[in-house]
Amino acid sequence: MAVLAQLKQREIRVPAGSLLIHEGQASTRVYTMLDGWAYRFRTLANGRRQILDFVLAGDFVGAQHALIGNAWHGVRTLTDATFCVFGRELLTDASRLSSTLSNDACVLIAHECSALEEQLLSLGQRTALERVAALLLITFRRAAALQVDRGASGVFFPATQQDIADTLGLSLVHTNKTMRRLERLTRCSLRRSRLTIEDIGALSRVANLYSDGRPITRPLL
Amino acid sequence: MAVLAQLKQREIRVPAGSLLIHEGQASTRVYTMLDGWAYRFRTLANGRRQILDFVLAGDFVGAQHALIGNAWHGVRTLTDATFCVFGRELLTDASRLSSTLSNDACVLIAHECSALEEQLLSLGQRTALERVAALLLITFRRAAALQVDRGASGVFFPATQQDIADTLGLSLVHTNKTMRRLERLTRCSLRRSRLTIEDIGALSRVANLYSDGRPITRPLL
DNA sequence: CGAAATGTTGACTATATTCAAGGCAAGTGG
DNA sequence: CCACTTGCCTTGAATATAGTCAACATTTCG
């Protein structure tokens, strides 16, 4: 912890819609999100965009860029957000600084891999309805875990339907129709950035999630 | 290196089609593949299978399982294969053992993340034709890098069309038709596990890859 | 209040899946 | 050596799923 505090350069506050990291950028900084929402994405030459995952408070940003040199995804904020800024030494020299720190970083990246795999399962094998259900469920769990009421009053989820479409590899129109259908089927709703789920069980059955709902424990940086 | 040799428990040789790691297994061992082909996968409750990526010589297997406790993918061999077996201390205590080792492990996992992201881009945004092209191209590059002739004579790629279909999130039939079409368009071919590419440029243009073709340098374990 | 962004719906089209049938190649046992 | 099986590849036809286009409603924000 003392080591962490020493490496911390400062906190930054950025407005909604900011490009925190460019695609292909070789970043010398690593961030952890303290507050707000963002997403990681890649864009194809023809302009189509794939959102890889959403970034919430506590998540790591820029690890790949620091470790690989330049990574091929960008990061953009969905809301105003605050980040804690570290130098890349946090990762590249972690083992020299603190053995637990270094190990924690590895574990966090491994968790990120695991989340990407679940998403891959969605895009490859799930129907549109299942994809939407899986995304809402996973997002709900993550956001709810950050709230004191554990999501009893619903959670804030600031993605537009276009964002969700780009996450799930579906068209905007089809995403819209599928969300309305899911809403009818399981009484979950996402209106005005507020996600509420009446019957988690019903949604889970539709989603066909791979991992069980066990709360994930992971280190904090 | 001395540390590595000390951690190495033994080498194992497994036949084609073996399940090296079960889905959901909490493994205490970590492997690096020395020779052969394998793939990582997850299965849905309804039986549909998503192949996450292919494992070639030099690749790490089981890092997630060792770091997270239990990870949700399995690993199965496509050919007879040999692995180098390490205890999980390789990862969990890496920083105490050697600072470069610990950092290298992080970098390898970060590369894996990056590869998953490219695959996510395929499943989410690319057409069937583009997906096949991207997979063949990436696989060709990886396999060619392991050969002395750099793939001049083609490379060995032991996946069946069903495997490829499960990798790309397509049906077997559509995969077949698309591969035939791609073969006509770019004069690449995959017959009897032998992948040859006449015109890399043509294939690249179809594939619309995100990352450029720069050879990837990464640490070896 | 008005403009711009986001959400909603229907009709039509394209892409991919499913079903079904047959082909080829490698391996097995008589 | 040859029939026979088995696994994998190939193709066409019918169907389902998702994408595109277009119009309009609603919300958000300046």
Side-chain angles (χ1 to χ4, degrees):
Chain A
M1 269 301 155
V3 179
L4 256 188
Q6 186 191 327
L7 282 171
K8 176 171 174 175
Q9 298 185 340
R10 63 181 187 281
E11 281 181 20
I12 54 169
R13 181 142 192 92
V14 297
S18 307
L19 196 56
L20 184 70
I21 301 181
H22 287 80
E23 293 176 82
Q25 176 179 333
S27 174
T28 58
R29 278 189 273 282
V30 182
Y31 309 85
T32 56
M33 182 171 247
L34 297 177
D35 184 66
W37 283 74
Y39 60 86
R40 275 182 262 267
F41 68 100
R42 292 194 185 201
T43 324
L44 227 43
N46 61 23
R48 300 194 63 168
R49 174 185 69 156
Q50 176 66 38
I51 292 186
L52 304 166
D53 58 8
F54 292 97
V55 181
L56 278 74
D59 288 339
F60 222 170
V61 171
Q64 272 186 52
H65 301 76
L67 286 168
I68 302 187
N70 56 351
W72 293 108
H73 68 250
V75 179
R76 189 181 288 278
T77 53
L78 278 169
T79 64
D80 294 353
T82 53
F83 293 90
C84 182
V85 186
F86 299 98
R88 58 181 292 183
E89 316 83 65
L90 174 68
L91 291 169
T92 54
D93 290 349
S95 42
R96 224 168 306 153
L97 299 166
S98 148
S99 65
T100 61
L101 170 62
S102 154
N103 189 239
D104 286 357
C106 254
V107 172
L108 279 178
I109 299 173
H111 272 294
E112 195 180 314
C113 262
S114 185
L116 289 175
E117 289 179 5
E118 180 71 48
Q119 177 67 357
L120 220 43
L121 196 59
S122 265
L123 297 195
Q125 306 300 333
R126 284 196 254 258
T127 65
L129 190 70
E130 293 168 335
R131 288 185 211 187
V132 174
L135 177 65
L136 294 188
L137 192 53
I138 290 175
T139 307
F140 182 84
R141 283 197 191 135
R142 292 180 64 197
L146 297 173
Q147 290 181 192
V148 281
D149 70 355
R150 290 293 183 260
S153 62
V155 302
F156 177 62
F157 181 33
T160 66
Q161 290 190 353
Q162 183 66 65
D163 294 330
I164 293 174
D166 289 347
T167 306
L168 300 180
L170 299 170
S171 70
L172 170 61
V173 173
H174 194 54
T175 299
N176 178 288
K177 289 173 181 171
T178 305
M179 286 180 68
R180 318 280 10 267
R181 186 152 66 98
L182 186 66
E183 193 171 347
R184 263 179 284 127
L185 286 174
T186 70
R187 301 197 308 287
C188 64
S189 109
L190 175 54
R191 304 264 164 171
R192 312 229 208 114
S193 300
R194 183 125 223 110
L195 172 62
T196 54
I197 297 180
E198 302 267 322
D199 182 351
I200 291 247
L203 193 59
S204 297
R205 279 189 295 279
V206 175
N208 234 319
L209 273 206
Y210 192 91
S211 46
D212 55 24
R214 206 177 322 168
I216 292 167
T217 54
R218 35 156 232 191
L220 276 174
L221 280 188
Chain B
M1 270 300 157
V3 179
L4 256 188
Q6 189 191 327
L7 282 171
K8 176 171 172 175
Q9 297 186 340
R10 63 180 187 282
E11 282 183 18
I12 53 169
R13 181 141 192 92
V14 296
S18 306
L19 196 57
L20 185 70
I21 300 180
H22 287 80
E23 294 174 84
Q25 176 179 333
S27 174
T28 58
R29 277 188 272 284
V30 182
Y31 309 85
T32 56
M33 182 172 247
L34 297 177
D35 183 67
W37 283 74
Y39 59 86
R40 276 182 260 266
F41 68 99
R42 293 195 184 200
T43 324
L44 227 44
N46 60 24
R48 300 195 64 169
R49 172 185 71 156
Q50 175 66 38
I51 291 185
L52 304 166
D53 58 8
F54 292 97
V55 182
L56 277 76
D59 288 340
F60 223 171
V61 171
Q64 271 186 52
H65 302 76
L67 286 168
I68 303 185
N70 57 350
W72 292 108
H73 68 249
V75 179
R76 189 182 288 275
T77 53
L78 277 170
T79 65
D80 294 352
T82 52
F83 293 90
C84 182
V85 187
F86 299 98
R88 58 180 295 182
E89 317 82 65
L90 175 67
L91 291 169
T92 54
D93 290 348
S95 42
R96 225 168 305 152
L97 298 165
S98 149
S99 64
T100 60
L101 171 61
S102 154
N103 190 240
D104 286 356
C106 255
V107 172
L108 279 179
I109 299 173
H111 272 293
E112 196 179 314
C113 262
S114 185
L116 290 175
E117 289 178 4
E118 181 70 50
Q119 176 68 357
L120 221 43
L121 196 59
S122 266
L123 297 195
Q125 305 301 333
R126 283 196 254 259
T127 65
L129 190 71
E130 293 169 336
R131 288 186 210 186
V132 174
L135 177 65
L136 293 188
L137 192 54
I138 290 176
T139 306
F140 181 85
R141 284 197 191 134
R142 292 179 64 197
L146 297 174
Q147 291 182 191
V148 280
D149 69 354
R150 290 296 183 257
S153 62
V155 302
F156 177 62
F157 182 32
T160 66
Q161 290 190 354
Q162 182 66 65
D163 294 330
I164 294 174
D166 289 348
T167 306
L168 300 179
L170 300 170
S171 69
L172 170 61
V173 173
H174 194 53
T175 300
N176 178 287
K177 289 173 181 171
T178 306
M179 286 181 69
R180 319 278 15 263
R181 185 151 67 98
L182 186 67
E183 192 171 347
R184 262 180 284 127
L185 286 174
T186 70
R187 301 198 309 286
C188 64
S189 108
L190 175 54
R191 304 263 165 173
R192 309 231 210 107
S193 301
R194 183 126 223 111
L195 172 62
T196 54
I197 298 180
E198 303 267 322
D199 183 351
I200 292 248
L203 193 60
S204 298
R205 280 188 294 280
V206 175
N208 235 318
L209 273 206
Y210 192 91
S211 46
D212 55 24
R214 205 177 324 166
I216 292 167
T217 53
R218 35 155 232 193
L220 276 175
L221 279 188

